[in-house]
Amino acid sequence: MTVEAHKETIEFQAEVSQVLNLVIRSLYSNKEIFLRELISNASDAAEKLRFEALADDALYEGDPELKIRVWVDKDAGTLTVSDNGIGMSRQEVMDTIGTIASSGTKKFLENLSGDETSDSQLIGQFGVGFYSAFIVADRVTLTTRRAGMEPEHGVRWESDGEGSYSIETVEKEGRGTEVTLHLREDDNEFLDSWRLRQIISKFSDHLAIPIEMPKEDTGAEEEEKDKDREIEWEQVNKGIALWMRNKSEITDEEYKDFYKSIAHDFEDPLAWSHNRVEGTNEYTSLLYVPSRAPFDLWDREQKHGVKLYVRRVFIMDEVDKLMPHYLRFVKGVVDSDDLPLNVSRELLQHNRKIDTIRSANVKRILGLLENMAKNDPEKYQKFWDEFGKVLKEGPAEDFANKERIAGLFRFASTKSEGDEETVSLDEYIGRMAEKQEKIYYITADSLAAARNSPHLEIFKKKDIEVLLMTDRVDEWLMSHLTEYKEKTFQSVTKGQLDLGELEAEEDKEEQKKAEKAHKKLLKGIKKALGEKVKEVRVSSRLVDSPACLVVDDYDMSQNLARVLKQLGQDAPMPTPIMELNVEHPLVERLEKENDKDRYSELANLLYDQALLAEGGQLEDPAGFVHRLNRLMLDMSDSK
């Protein structure tokens, strides 16, 4: 039985063509990486077949020996990489080969700067491994058939990378995928079999699946070779999973090359941890911390993380099974000797051994980061700049390790210079005043807004350090991180300011007297502002500014309400409390005002100024401008 051949030519999406254009211009600094990418894809296909065959042995089609083959045709100028893995159906080819990193292409293009050198560093982050073939080829042909389908359901995909591809139904006897590269004349070095063996040894020696090439003949044997005789294949990689080798036998370069292969990354990892656990639960783990955040770090659908193997058979790489979500940037492998080979995803969710492995993985990564922070602060700063926002999700997700995670945080503060987040909580505590009981912090939209907030005035005057938090995640973080090493956190924008023993008794008495002395002023401003404020009171935190807005201790902060609104959430703004600096000339001027309309106008002007200083948005910007203009005209007339 045969099926009607169906061939069509399809245009790439506009953004896909742009990415192809970039790839074809040879932006990779190392062209040989294309072979690593194609072999890695072939290895993944073989591992997928192994897993699916656990439930359906017929998928092997009588050929259970999985392998990858690489060969060249010097006369035709082609290089071919084939595998007998899972293969693809016509729809799978269109979905995976016909688009490039569909979830990240748009983000990729947004990151392009136009500088070819810097743009080349982006390619490795965006899942375009197959298309690296166009670095050395002016035409690529892919022929594939999914395991379990009939031979007449084969598929051929072909493209010259110039904006379109063709796809047709063909007959293919064996399952799996065959990729043929029609090499450019400038890249004929990759027709040299010894050159290819060198590349395979460098990048893919660790793969457990055999990589085979035609056996090389030399001298007289070459001359007498019968061109029609069957090709004799030989394995050119060691075929031993790198993570199963003794640590003392593995070089740093081998660790780095293995990382690049499994993570499809083009940069070296920052650090790694390789461990063999023996006893009731036996497994090996090799975990890496990347040096750069991947493009899909914030994609909630992103699943790929640490790969799970059972006795060298790939099972899955869903990120949340072996590593919590806040450590989703970690790459690597875990190979267990104890889990059943037919383990399902549902069983994994309730498997105690998996829970034990996951817990140990977390401790190893946290220990790795702690060691980096202690012994190589510069490297750790690089890690924090790339992954700090993700790590801040930890205290809410991992209560058991909350304090260890918090110890890894870095912040900007009123005592740090520049915009970098370099201050740890331990450093902050080490600098605390003798009688200071709390860790003070402020959240804001930007570092400038935080540094210049009127809420910090009394802290600057008394030389009390305040942490400056400007990430969106910080509000959510601080709702779960309430203390660290028995020191409680206190927002400087919430509640009645209480500096404890840092505040002199006479200052507290002065404030009580001020409340009584200016009672009429406080009532008058509350009446003028109406429902805009919950209360008006004398401030103990202002030094130079006339007014500020705060919320009660257990109210949502104004900054969090703004963040939620920006995210499309229906978050009602909390009604603030207005605090006054009764010694400020503007407040003194207001207190002397007898004209009711002018009094109301000045009160509203003070409120609007405080709201703007808070980073808020005015409900009536035009009204604020009119009030300000009238005040300026009055000042001019009084002269």
Side-chain angles (χ1 to χ4, degrees), residues 256-322:
K256 291 173 184 177
D257 288 340
F258 178 67
Y259 163 76
K260 290 174 182 177
S261 175
I262 62 169
H264 297 279
D265 197 350
F266 289 77
E267 295 190 32
D268 291 338
L270 280 180
W272 59 84
S273 173
H274 188 186
N275 295 276
R276 171 71 184 169
V277 177
E278 297 180 343
T280 55
N281 191 10
E282 295 195 355
Y283 65 92
T284 299
S285 67
L286 175 52
L287 306 174
Y288 291 91
V289 175
S291 59
R292 188 188 293 271
F295 76 95
D296 56 356
L297 185 65
W298 299 102
D299 183 358
R300 301 299 296 183
E301 300 302 316
Q302 188 265 122
K303 294 182 180 297
H304 305 298
V306 177
K307 295 173 180 282
L308 173 64
Y309 288 76
V310 176
R311 293 189 288 281
R312 267 63 71 203
V313 176
F314 173 72
I315 302 297
M316 69 188 331
D317 61 353
E318 291 187 18
V319 71
D320 58 340
K321 301 299 184 294
L322 294 168

Coordinates of all heavy atoms in Angstrom, one line a residue, residues 256-322:
K256 N 32.8 21.0 30.8 CA 32.3 22.2 30.0 C 31.6 21.7 28.7 O 30.5 22.2 28.4 CB 33.4 23.2 29.8 CG 33.8 23.9 31.1 CD 35.0 24.8 30.8 CE 35.6 25.4 32.1 NZ 36.8 26.3 31.8
D257 N 32.3 20.9 28.0 CA 31.8 20.4 26.7 C 30.5 19.6 26.9 O 29.6 19.7 26.1 CB 32.8 19.5 26.0 CG 34.0 20.4 25.4 OD1 33.8 21.6 25.3 OD2 35.1 19.8 25.2
F258 N 30.4 18.8 28.0 CA 29.2 18.1 28.2 C 28.1 19.0 28.5 O 26.9 18.8 28.1 CB 29.5 17.1 29.4 CG 28.2 16.3 29.8 CD1 27.7 15.4 28.9 CD2 27.6 16.6 31.0 CE1 26.6 14.6 29.3 CE2 26.5 15.8 31.4 CZ 26.0 14.9 30.5
Y259 N 28.3 20.0 29.3 CA 27.3 21.0 29.6 C 26.8 21.7 28.4 O 25.5 21.8 28.2 CB 27.8 22.1 30.6 CG 27.0 23.3 30.6 CD1 25.8 23.3 31.3 CD2 27.3 24.5 29.9 CE1 24.9 24.5 31.3 CE2 26.5 25.6 29.8 CZ 25.3 25.6 30.5 OH 24.5 26.7 30.5
K260 N 27.7 22.1 27.5 CA 27.2 22.8 26.3 C 26.4 21.8 25.4 O 25.4 22.3 24.7 CB 28.5 23.2 25.5 CG 29.2 24.4 26.1 CD 30.5 24.7 25.4 CE 31.3 25.8 26.1 NZ 32.6 26.0 25.5
S261 N 26.7 20.6 25.5 CA 25.9 19.6 24.7 C 24.5 19.4 25.2 O 23.5 19.4 24.5 CB 26.6 18.2 24.7 OG 25.9 17.3 24.0
I262 N 24.4 19.2 26.5 CA 23.0 19.0 27.1 C 22.2 20.2 27.2 O 21.0 20.2 27.2 CB 23.1 18.2 28.5 CG1 23.8 19.1 29.5 CG2 23.7 16.9 28.3 CD1 23.7 18.6 30.9
A263 N 22.8 21.4 27.4 CA 22.1 22.6 27.6 C 21.9 23.4 26.3 O 21.2 24.4 26.2 CB 22.8 23.5 28.6
H264 N 22.6 22.9 25.2 CA 22.6 23.7 23.9 C 23.0 25.1 24.1 O 22.4 26.0 23.6 CB 21.2 23.6 23.3 CG 20.8 22.2 22.9 ND1 21.2 21.5 21.8 CD2 20.0 21.3 23.6 CE1 20.7 20.3 21.8 NE2 20.0 20.1 22.8
D265 N 24.0 25.3 24.9 CA 24.6 26.6 25.3 C 25.9 26.8 24.6 O 26.6 25.8 24.3 CB 24.7 26.7 26.8 CG 24.8 28.2 27.2 OD1 25.0 29.0 26.4 OD2 24.8 28.4 28.5
F266 N 26.3 28.0 24.4 CA 27.6 28.3 23.7 C 28.6 28.9 24.7 O 29.7 29.2 24.3 CB 27.4 29.2 22.5 CG 26.6 28.5 21.4 CD1 25.3 28.3 21.5 CD2 27.3 28.0 20.3 CE1 24.6 27.6 20.4 CE2 26.7 27.4 19.3 CZ 25.3 27.2 19.3
E267 N 28.2 29.0 25.9 CA 29.1 29.6 26.9 C 29.4 28.5 28.0 O 28.6 27.7 28.3 CB 28.5 30.8 27.5 CG 28.4 32.0 26.5 CD 28.0 33.3 27.2 OE1 28.4 33.5 28.4 OE2 27.3 34.1 26.6
D268 N 30.6 28.7 28.6 CA 30.9 27.8 29.7 C 30.0 28.0 30.9 O 29.5 29.1 31.1 CB 32.4 28.0 30.2 CG 33.4 27.6 29.1 OD1 33.0 26.8 28.2 OD2 34.5 28.1 29.1
P269 N 29.7 26.9 31.7 CA 29.0 27.1 32.9 C 29.8 27.8 34.0 O 31.0 27.9 33.9 CB 28.7 25.7 33.3 CG 29.8 24.9 32.8 CD 30.2 25.5 31.5
L270 N 29.1 28.4 34.9 CA 29.8 29.1 36.0 C 30.4 28.1 37.0 O 31.4 28.3 37.5 CB 28.8 30.0 36.8 CG 28.5 31.4 36.2 CD1 27.5 32.1 37.1 CD2 29.8 32.2 36.0
A271 N 29.6 27.0 37.3 CA 30.0 26.0 38.2 C 29.3 24.7 38.0 O 28.2 24.7 37.4 CB 29.8 26.5 39.7
W272 N 29.8 23.6 38.6 CA 29.0 22.4 38.5 C 29.3 21.5 39.8 O 30.3 21.8 40.5 CB 29.4 21.6 37.3 CG 30.9 21.3 37.1 CD1 31.5 20.2 37.7 CD2 31.9 22.1 36.4 NE1 32.9 20.3 37.3 CE2 33.1 21.4 36.6 CE3 31.8 23.3 35.7 CZ2 34.3 21.9 36.0 CZ3 33.0 23.7 35.1 CH2 34.2 23.0 35.3
S273 N 28.4 20.5 40.0 CA 28.6 19.6 41.1 C 28.3 18.2 40.6 O 27.3 17.9 40.0 CB 27.5 20.0 42.2 OG 27.5 19.0 43.3
H274 N 29.3 17.3 40.9 CA 29.2 15.9 40.4 C 29.3 15.0 41.6 O 30.3 15.0 42.4 CB 30.4 15.7 39.4 CG 30.3 14.3 38.8 ND1 31.3 13.8 37.9 CD2 29.3 13.4 38.7 CE1 30.9 12.7 37.5 NE2 29.7 12.4 38.0
N275 N 28.2 14.2 41.8 CA 28.2 13.4 43.0 C 27.6 12.0 42.7 O 26.7 11.8 41.9 CB 27.3 14.0 44.1 CG 27.8 15.4 44.6 OD1 28.6 15.4 45.5 ND2 27.3 16.4 44.0
R276 N 28.1 11.0 43.5 CA 27.6 9.7 43.4 C 27.1 9.3 44.8 O 27.9 9.4 45.8 CB 28.7 8.7 43.0 CG 28.4 7.2 43.1 CD 27.4 6.8 42.1 NE 27.0 5.4 42.3 CZ 26.0 4.8 41.6 NH1 25.3 5.5 40.8 NH2 25.6 3.6 41.8
V277 N 25.8 8.9 44.9 CA 25.2 8.6 46.2 C 25.0 7.1 46.3 O 24.4 6.5 45.3 CB 23.9 9.4 46.4 CG1 23.2 9.0 47.7 CG2 24.1 10.9 46.3
E278 N 25.4 6.5 47.3 CA 25.2 5.1 47.5 C 24.5 4.8 48.8 O 24.5 5.6 49.7 CB 26.6 4.4 47.5 CG 27.4 4.5 46.2 CD 28.7 3.8 46.3 OE1 29.2 3.5 47.4 OE2 29.3 3.6 45.2
G279 N 23.8 3.6 48.9 CA 23.1 3.3 50.0 C 21.7 2.8 49.6 O 21.5 2.1 48.6
T280 N 20.7 3.2 50.4 CA 19.3 2.8 50.1 C 18.8 3.4 48.8 O 17.9 2.8 48.1 CB 18.4 3.1 51.3 OG1 18.5 4.5 51.5 CG2 18.7 2.4 52.5
N281 N 19.3 4.6 48.5 CA 18.8 5.2 47.3 C 20.1 5.6 46.4 O 20.7 6.6 46.7 CB 18.0 6.5 47.6 CG 17.3 7.1 46.4 OD1 17.3 6.5 45.4 ND2 16.8 8.3 46.6
E282 N 20.4 4.8 45.4 CA 21.6 5.0 44.7 C 21.4 5.8 43.4 O 20.5 5.4 42.6 CB 22.3 3.6 44.4 CG 22.7 2.8 45.6 CD 23.6 1.7 45.3 OE1 23.9 1.5 44.1 OE2 24.1 1.1 46.2
Y283 N 22.1 6.8 43.2 CA 22.0 7.6 42.0 C 23.3 8.5 41.8 O 24.0 8.7 42.8 CB 20.8 8.5 42.0 CG 20.8 9.6 43.1 CD1 21.3 10.8 42.8 CD2 20.3 9.3 44.4 CE1 21.3 11.8 43.8 CE2 20.3 10.3 45.4 CZ 20.8 11.5 45.1 OH 20.9 12.5 46.1
T284 N 23.4 9.0 40.6 CA 24.5 9.9 40.3 C 23.9 11.2 39.8 O 22.9 11.2 39.0 CB 25.4 9.3 39.2 OG1 26.0 8.1 39.7 CG2 26.5 10.3 38.8
S285 N 24.5 12.3 40.2 CA 24.0 13.6 39.7 C 25.1 14.4 39.2 O 26.2 14.4 39.8 CB 23.2 14.4 40.8 OG 24.1 14.7 41.9
L286 N 24.9 15.2 38.1 CA 25.8 16.1 37.6 C 25.0 17.4 37.3 O 24.3 17.4 36.3 CB 26.5 15.6 36.4 CG 27.5 16.5 35.6 CD1 28.5 17.1 36.6 CD2 28.2 15.8 34.5
L287 N 25.2 18.4 38.1 CA 24.4 19.6 38.0 C 25.2 20.8 37.7 O 26.3 21.0 38.2 CB 23.6 19.8 39.3 CG 22.8 18.7 39.9 CD1 22.3 19.0 41.3 CD2 21.7 18.3 38.9
Y288 N 24.7 21.7 36.8 CA 25.4 22.9 36.3 C 24.6 24.1 36.6 O 23.4 24.2 36.5 CB 25.6 22.8 34.8 CG 26.6 21.7 34.4 CD1 26.1 20.5 34.0 CD2 27.9 22.0 34.2 CE1 27.0 19.5 33.5 CE2 28.8 21.1 33.7 CZ 28.4 19.8 33.4 OH 29.2 18.9 32.9
V289 N 25.4 25.2 36.9 CA 24.8 26.5 37.0 C 25.3 27.3 35.8 O 26.5 27.5 35.6 CB 25.3 27.3 38.3 CG1 24.8 28.7 38.3 CG2 24.8 26.6 39.5
P290 N 24.4 27.7 34.9 CA 24.8 28.4 33.6 C 25.4 29.8 34.0 O 25.2 30.3 35.1 CB 23.5 28.5 32.8 CG 22.6 27.5 33.5 CD 23.0 27.4 34.9
S291 N 26.1 30.3 33.0 CA 26.6 31.7 33.2 C 25.7 32.8 32.6 O 25.9 33.9 32.9 CB 28.0 31.8 32.5 OG 27.9 31.5 31.1
R292 N 24.7 32.4 31.8 CA 23.8 33.3 31.2 C 22.3 32.8 31.3 O 22.1 31.6 31.1 CB 24.2 33.6 29.8 CG 23.4 34.7 29.1 CD 23.7 34.8 27.6 NE 25.0 35.2 27.4 CZ 25.4 36.5 27.2 NH1 24.5 37.4 27.4 NH2 26.7 36.8 27.0
A293 N 21.4 33.7 31.6 CA 20.0 33.3 31.6 C 19.5 32.9 30.3 O 19.7 33.7 29.3 CB 19.2 34.4 32.2
P294 N 18.7 31.8 30.1 CA 18.2 31.5 28.8 C 17.0 32.4 28.5 O 16.4 33.0 29.3 CB 17.7 30.0 29.0 CG 17.4 30.0 30.5 CD 18.4 30.8 31.1
F295 N 16.6 32.4 27.2 CA 15.6 33.4 26.8 C 14.3 33.1 27.4 O 13.4 33.9 27.6 CB 15.5 33.3 25.2 CG 14.8 32.1 24.7 CD1 13.4 32.1 24.4 CD2 15.5 30.9 24.5 CE1 12.8 31.0 24.0 CE2 14.8 29.8 24.0 CZ 13.5 29.9 23.8
D296 N 14.0 31.8 27.7 CA 12.7 31.4 28.2 C 12.7 31.3 29.7 O 11.8 30.5 30.3 CB 12.2 30.1 27.5 CG 13.2 29.0 27.7 OD1 14.3 29.2 28.3 OD2 12.9 27.8 27.3
L297 N 13.5 31.9 30.4 CA 13.6 31.8 31.9 C 12.3 32.2 32.5 O 11.9 31.6 33.6 CB 14.7 32.7 32.4 CG 15.0 32.6 33.9 CD1 15.5 31.2 34.3 CD2 16.0 33.7 34.3
W298 N 11.6 33.2 32.0 CA 10.3 33.6 32.6 C 9.1 33.0 31.9 O 8.0 33.5 32.2 CB 10.3 35.2 32.5 CG 11.4 35.8 33.3 CD1 12.5 36.3 32.8 CD2 11.5 35.9 34.7 NE1 13.3 36.7 33.8 CE2 12.7 36.5 35.0 CE3 10.7 35.5 35.8 CZ2 13.2 36.7 36.3 CZ3 11.1 35.7 37.1 CH2 12.3 36.3 37.3
D299 N 9.3 32.1 31.0 CA 8.2 31.4 30.4 C 7.6 30.3 31.3 O 8.3 29.3 31.6 CB 8.7 30.8 29.0 CG 7.6 30.1 28.2 OD1 6.4 30.1 28.7 OD2 7.8 29.6 27.1
R300 N 6.4 30.5 31.7 CA 5.8 29.5 32.7 C 5.6 28.1 32.1 O 5.5 27.1 32.8 CB 4.4 30.0 33.2 CG 4.5 31.4 33.8 CD 5.3 31.4 35.1 NE 4.9 30.5 36.1 CZ 5.4 30.4 37.3 NH1 6.5 31.1 37.6 NH2 4.9 29.6 38.2
E301 N 5.6 28.0 30.7 CA 5.5 26.8 30.1 C 6.8 26.0 29.9 O 6.9 24.9 29.5 CB 4.8 27.0 28.7 CG 3.5 27.6 28.7 CD 2.5 26.8 29.6 OE1 2.5 25.5 29.4 OE2 1.8 27.4 30.4
Q302 N 7.9 26.7 30.2 CA 9.2 26.2 30.0 C 9.4 25.0 31.0 O 9.2 25.1 32.2 CB 10.3 27.2 30.3 CG 11.7 26.8 30.0 CD 12.4 26.2 31.2 OE1 12.9 25.1 31.2 NE2 12.5 27.0 32.3
K303 N 9.7 23.8 30.4 CA 9.8 22.6 31.2 C 11.2 22.0 31.3 O 11.5 21.3 32.3 CB 8.8 21.5 30.7 CG 7.3 22.0 30.8 CD 6.5 20.9 30.2 CE 5.0 21.2 30.3 NZ 4.5 21.4 31.7
H304 N 12.0 22.2 30.4 CA 13.3 21.5 30.3 C 14.3 21.9 31.3 O 14.6 23.1 31.4 CB 13.9 21.6 28.9 CG 12.9 21.1 27.8 ND1 12.4 19.9 27.8 CD2 12.3 21.8 26.8 CE1 11.6 19.8 26.7 NE2 11.5 20.9 26.1
G305 N 14.8 21.0 32.1 CA 15.7 21.3 33.1 C 16.7 20.2 33.3 O 17.5 19.9 32.5
V306 N 16.6 19.5 34.5 CA 17.5 18.4 34.8 C 17.0 17.1 34.2 O 15.8 16.8 34.4 CB 17.7 18.3 36.3 CG1 18.6 17.0 36.6 CG2 18.3 19.5 36.9
K307 N 17.8 16.4 33.4 CA 17.3 15.2 32.8 C 17.4 14.0 33.8 O 18.3 13.9 34.5 CB 18.2 14.8 31.6 CG 18.2 15.9 30.4 CD 19.2 15.5 29.4 CE 19.2 16.5 28.2 NZ 18.1 16.2 27.3
L308 N 16.3 13.2 33.8 CA 16.3 12.0 34.6 C 16.5 10.8 33.8 O 15.9 10.5 32.7 CB 14.9 11.9 35.3 CG 14.7 10.6 36.1 CD1 15.7 10.5 37.3 CD2 13.3 10.5 36.6
Y309 N 17.5 10.0 34.2 CA 17.8 8.7 33.6 C 17.6 7.6 34.6 O 17.8 7.8 35.8 CB 19.3 8.6 33.1 CG 19.6 9.5 31.9 CD1 19.8 10.9 32.0 CD2 19.8 8.9 30.7 CE1 20.1 11.7 30.9 CE2 20.1 9.7 29.5 CZ 20.3 11.1 29.7 OH 20.6 11.8 28.6
V310 N 17.2 6.4 34.1 CA 17.2 5.2 35.0 C 18.1 4.2 34.3 O 17.8 3.7 33.2 CB 15.8 4.7 35.2 CG1 15.8 3.4 36.0 CG2 14.9 5.7 35.8
R311 N 19.2 3.9 35.0 CA 20.2 3.0 34.4 C 20.6 3.3 33.0 O 20.5 2.5 32.1 CB 19.7 1.6 34.6 CG 19.6 1.1 36.1 CD 19.4 -0.4 36.2 NE 18.0 -0.7 35.8 CZ 16.9 -0.6 36.6 NH1 17.1 0.0 37.8 NH2 15.8 -1.0 36.2
R312 N 20.9 4.6 32.8 CA 21.4 5.2 31.5 C 20.2 5.3 30.5 O 20.5 5.6 29.3 CB 22.5 4.4 30.9 CG 23.9 4.9 31.3 CD 24.2 4.9 32.8 NE 24.4 3.5 33.2 CZ 24.2 3.1 34.5 NH1 23.8 4.0 35.4 NH2 24.4 1.9 34.8
V313 N 19.0 5.0 30.8 CA 17.9 5.2 29.9 C 17.2 6.5 30.2 O 16.7 6.7 31.4 CB 16.9 4.0 30.0 CG1 15.7 4.3 29.1 CG2 17.5 2.7 29.6
F314 N 17.1 7.4 29.2 CA 16.4 8.7 29.5 C 15.0 8.5 29.7 O 14.2 7.8 29.0 CB 16.6 9.6 28.2 CG 15.9 10.9 28.3 CD1 16.3 11.9 29.1 CD2 14.7 11.1 27.5 CE1 15.6 13.1 29.2 CE2 14.0 12.2 27.6 CZ 14.5 13.3 28.4
I315 N 14.5 9.2 30.8 CA 13.1 9.1 31.2 C 12.3 10.4 30.9 O 11.3 10.5 30.2 CB 12.9 8.7 32.7 CG1 13.6 7.4 32.9 CG2 11.4 8.7 33.1 CD1 13.0 6.2 32.2
M316 N 12.9 11.5 31.4 CA 12.2 12.8 31.2 C 13.1 13.9 31.6 O 14.2 13.7 32.3 CB 10.9 12.9 32.1 CG 11.3 12.9 33.6 SD 9.8 12.7 34.7 CE 8.5 13.4 33.8
D317 N 12.7 15.2 31.2 CA 13.5 16.3 31.7 C 12.6 17.5 32.1 O 12.8 18.6 31.8 CB 14.5 16.8 30.6 CG 13.8 17.2 29.3 OD1 12.5 17.0 29.2 OD2 14.4 17.8 28.4
E318 N 11.4 17.1 32.7 CA 10.5 18.1 33.2 C 11.1 18.8 34.4 O 11.5 18.2 35.4 CB 9.1 17.5 33.5 CG 8.4 17.1 32.2 CD 7.0 16.6 32.5 OE1 6.5 17.0 33.5 OE2 6.5 15.9 31.6
V319 N 11.2 20.1 34.3 CA 12.0 20.9 35.3 C 11.6 20.8 36.7 O 12.4 20.8 37.6 CB 12.0 22.4 34.9 CG1 10.7 23.0 35.1 CG2 13.1 23.1 35.6
D320 N 10.3 20.6 37.0 CA 9.8 20.7 38.4 C 9.9 19.3 39.1 O 9.6 19.3 40.3 CB 8.3 21.2 38.4 CG 7.4 20.3 37.6 OD1 7.9 19.6 36.7 OD2 6.2 20.4 37.8
K321 N 10.3 18.3 38.5 CA 10.3 17.0 39.1 C 11.6 16.8 40.0 O 11.6 16.2 41.1 CB 10.2 15.8 38.1 CG 8.9 15.9 37.3 CD 7.7 15.7 38.2 CE 6.4 15.7 37.4 NZ 6.1 16.9 36.7
L322 N 12.7 17.3 39.4 CA 14.0 17.1 40.1 C 14.6 18.3 40.7 O 15.7 18.3 41.3 CB 15.0 16.4 39.1 CG 14.7 15.0 38.7 CD1 15.5 14.6 37.5 CD2 14.8 14.0 39.8

